[in-house]
Amino acid sequence: MRLTHIGGPTLLVEVAGWRLLTDPTFDPPGRRYAFGWGTSSRKVTGPAVDAADLPPLDAVLLTHDHHADNLDDAGRALLPSAPVVVTTASGATRLGGTTRGLRPWQTTVLEAPGRPSLEVTATPARHGPPLSRPVAGEVVGFALRWEGQRDGVLWISGDTVLFGGLREVARRLRVDTAVLHLGGVRFPVTGPLRYSMTGRQAVELCGLLGPRTVVPVHYEGWSHFAQGRVGLERDLARAPEVRRTVRWLPMGEAAELAPA
């Protein structure tokens, strides 16, 4: 399994002959984007790989389409080049085309000649505090299964805080590699409320999941992140058994992970 962290939530996943891209964000830095209800963020870091330099894609896994830090203008322009886009049910309605919409615990199967079928299951996510879904919108994570997988699924959390839905993931899935969207997102207009996981929440979640490898993403590159790598490492240092599983990927460079 090969992972390339392009920046923010954008990850190129190469596994079992498939090339998948998560949450495409390829705009240059400098612009401020409105997220609604008085919230906004400035992009401060550009992608480590240009969209034009990507290999041909088999699918895009889009945790949600309505926030620019997960799908910006250049990422949106890339979507038609992918044969399949898998996202939320509401996002599929907005995007149309070949998009497949999933609700939590629904599964779609990707198939192509000469490759094992790839099961993509949507998992619960909540992009903020209790009762925030009508404001923050629908988000999902993704669990990936393929033939020959030995030690559990590859799981991508999506933008979410720790809540009952993630504890359900821990109960229902055996997770080998966990790609966690972190950063502890905060906005001045909503004070101390968080809209993505902190390092402390990640430690608690990993204690439930027991993954072999943890890959942090979506903790840098935007002004709305309240906890970057330094803060995350400080929290992880309090849990050596979790810290040993963490793999910080170099930006723009393919990293080989042990097969699941």
Side-chain angles (χ1 to χ4, degrees):
M1 180 167 59
R2 179 183 298 172
L3 303 181
T4 305
H5 191 189
I6 294 170
T10 310
L11 192 68
L12 178 64
V13 179
E14 298 175 273
V15 62
W18 293 91
R19 288 195 187 106
L20 314 171
L21 188 72
T22 68
D23 289 354
T25 53
F26 290 93
D27 282 0
R31 178 178 164 191
R32 179 170 289 276
Y33 299 78
F35 293 158
W37 295 84
T39 62
S40 67
S41 183
R42 184 178 301 279
K43 188 171 187 179
V44 297
T45 305
V49 177
D50 289 337
D53 295 329
L54 291 172
L57 300 174
D58 298 303
V60 168
L61 305 180
L62 180 58
T63 65
H64 59 301
D65 70 302
H66 53 278
H67 292 153
D69 61 327
N70 294 82
L71 182 67
D72 58 19
D73 291 344
R76 195 175 293 270
L78 175 146
L79 294 183
S81 68
V84 178
V85 177
V86 185
T87 190
T88 62
S90 59
T93 299
R94 288 186 290 267
L95 294 172
T98 60
T99 307
R100 304 182 190 180
L102 299 179
R103 299 192 185 280
W105 301 115
Q106 290 183 332
T107 295
T108 190
V109 179
L110 306 182
E111 296 180 302
R115 280 176 276 177
S117 60
L118 184 68
E119 289 187 3
V120 180
T121 299
T123 59
R126 194 184 76 200
H127 200 357
L131 306 179
S132 64
R133 188 168 281 119
V135 175
E138 185 182 14
V139 181
V140 292
F142 297 106
L144 308 183
R145 294 183 180 88
W146 57 88
E147 185 180 350
Q149 203 175 54
R150 298 190 305 271
D151 297 315
V153 301
L154 167 61
W155 178 57
I156 301 159
S157 72
D159 287 10
T160 183
V161 296
L162 180 60
F163 76 117
L166 296 194
R167 295 182 180 93
E168 184 182 7
V169 169
R171 290 193 298 269
R172 293 178 61 160
L173 298 179
R174 182 184 179 193
V175 175
D176 178 76
T177 300
V179 176
L180 301 185
H181 291 211
L182 302 177
V185 165
R186 290 174 62 182
F187 297 101
V189 71
T190 54
L193 298 179
R194 302 280 185 162
Y195 295 87
S196 65
M197 277 189 285
T198 63
R200 290 187 179 185
Q201 289 184 329
V203 166
E204 182 178 347
L205 176 61
C206 289
L208 300 172
L209 292 172
R212 178 171 55 172
T213 306
V214 176
V215 177
V217 299
H218 212 20
Y219 57 85
E220 45 65 47
W222 291 78
S223 62
H224 61 323
F225 289 118
Q227 190 178 44
R229 178 168 173 173
V230 171
L232 291 168
E233 289 186 321
R234 186 166 50 246
D235 284 348
L236 293 168
R238 300 187 179 101
E241 70 285 358
V242 174
R243 184 179 59 179
R244 284 191 291 268
T245 69
V246 173
R247 179 83 177 267
W248 298 96
L249 300 185
M251 291 292 177
E253 299 179 17
E256 297 284 349
L257 273 68

